[in-house]
Amino acid sequence: MSAGSGIFSTMREVKVKGVSSLCTLDSNGESHILQSELASDSQRNSSLNVQFTPEIEKKYVHHVYDAIAPHFSSTRFAKWPKVANFLSSLPSGSLVLDAGCGNGKYLGFNPDCFFIGCDISAPLIKICADRGHEVLVADAVDLPYRTGFGDAAISIAVLHHLSTEGRRKKAIEELIRVVKKGGLVLITVWAVEQEDKSLLAKWTPLTQKYGEEWIGPGSPRVRSPSSCTLESIPETEENGFGEHKKDSGQSYMQSLQEITSQSESYSGASTDVKNANNQQEYFVPWHLPYHRAEVSGASACALANGLAKKDDKKGAVVYNRYYHVFSEGELERLVAGIDNAVIVDRFFDKSNWCIVLEKKL
């Protein structure tokens, strides 16, 4: 990357939560908060709480994408027409911020615009940087750009990996914050109303037995590095199921009590787990064939850590990714409480709910 002394020098200084060793916090995670009025402190603490990454996201989003990054990248090259149209419609010279850029397939799509991408996965960001893109590792709920920095922003297939309503809303607020007045924000998420209904049968619904995954024992304030490095194992396009190793020393009831006693940012965690008739929380599998898996490397480490499971019938190691699939109108409801943005377009595209926002203030 070559933008360190240029573009990034204008960004506000932030403490990015959930970014392995690329950033640091004070030993007391909240020691940088200045003492002031009680109400102001409460607001600050609430904002910080939604930035603390829940265990379920660390295990079934961050670690998984770090492990499968190169092959995930090799399967992500087709541009969605609606996203392409949005980017093509932007004025020449626009600065576009891609939050959750993955392998960077949209970075540089419009040659008349400037692009900066960020993603929580350092391996994916390395892929982007090796291709010459301007990128950095960052969390979607705490974007490292100053307010009003970009002309437009996109968040493509990202919000459904955030496990609480508070975190999903905070990610939307960040997208709005970092664009200028009049700037546009495009957001797409997986829909519960899948056009291919057979896919739902291949996903694993989250039920009460996964309750302790929402907030694990002694949840660290920032993302901790994996106990051993997970390298990529190539993926097949198949779907399947996987069982999951529970955190030891904590029963479901104990976990549920912890969840319900947490701050407001976590209050939706237990209620977000829907019953079978209104399911929105899933593990979506990622199959990695035995013949490409490193026997003593990434697959062995993932199996030992409970991040993957063998499927001998399909001859594959199965990773599971956490998804909160969105129902019709859910994106709109999240935006309804945000004063400085209005919805200028909404549509359903390829089993995704999509909205375009315009910043007003």
Side-chain angles (χ1 to χ4, degrees), residues 323-334:
Y323 278 78
H324 167 88
V325 289
F326 280 64
S327 60
E328 183 176 5
E330 188 173 353
L331 267 177
E332 290 87 339
R333 289 192 295 273
L334 284 175

Side-chain angles (χ1 to χ4, degrees), residues 1 8 11 101 116-120 125 134-138 144-145:
M1 290 180 290
F8 297 139
M11 296 180 187
C101 63
I116 301 176
C118 67
D119 200 283
I120 195 65
I125 285 300
E134 301 288 357
V135 290
L136 70 163
V137 174
Y145 312 116

Side-chain angles (χ1 to χ4, degrees), residues 184-213:
L184 298 177
V185 175
L186 170 64
I187 301 171
T188 79
V189 293
W190 280 20
V192 69
E193 301 87 352
Q194 288 289 304
E195 294 167 313
D196 182 356
K197 300 299 183 184
S198 67
L199 284 178
L200 294 175
K202 298 177 181 179
W203 300 349
T204 304
L206 271 73
T207 59
Q208 288 188 346
K209 76 174 186 173
Y210 296 114
E212 72 274 12
E213 298 291 359

Side-chain angles (χ1 to χ4, degrees), residues 205-330:
L206 271 73
T207 59
Q208 288 188 346
K209 76 174 186 173
Y210 296 114
E212 72 274 12
E213 298 291 359
W214 290 97
I215 303 176
S219 294
R221 293 298 191 182
V222 296
R223 182 184 177 194
S224 57
S226 177
S227 59
C228 72
T229 302
L230 299 180
E231 298 177 358
S232 176
I233 312 173
E235 173 222 13
T236 66
E237 293 299 326
E238 298 171 319
N239 287 319
F241 296 99
E243 293 298 326
H244 300 276
K245 182 175 162 185
K246 293 189 176 186
D247 293 323
S248 59
Q250 185 180 43
S251 68
Y252 167 70
M253 288 307 297
Q254 289 173 320
S255 176
L256 187 60
Q257 289 170 356
E258 286 187 13
I259 292 170
T260 55
S261 66
Q262 293 293 323
S263 62
E264 184 178 14
S265 68
Y266 286 130
S267 64
S270 58
T271 57
D272 269 352
V273 182
K274 307 298 183 181
N275 60 42
N277 295 324
N278 192 24
Q279 182 70 36
Q280 288 185 261
E281 316 299 323
Y282 290 95
F283 285 130
V284 178
W286 189 272
H287 278 67
L288 306 156
Y290 286 161
H291 70 273
R292 298 295 298 270
E294 296 88 338
V295 175
S296 60
S299 60
C301 181
L303 290 166
N305 289 339
L307 294 176
K309 182 176 176 63
K310 284 186 175 181
D311 187 334
D312 290 328
K313 291 182 178 179
K314 294 189 175 182
V317 174
V318 183
Y319 287 88
N320 280 281
R321 299 166 292 166
Y322 166 78
Y323 278 78
H324 167 88
V325 289
F326 280 64
S327 60
E328 183 176 5
E330 188 173 353

Side-chain angles (χ1 to χ4, degrees), residues 335-356:
V335 175
I338 301 175
D339 295 333
N340 61 337
V342 295
I343 299 172
V344 295
D345 195 9
R346 68 192 85 193
F347 51 93
F348 184 81
D349 183 45
K350 299 184 184 301
S351 297
N352 286 259
W353 290 114
C354 314
I355 59 173
V356 178

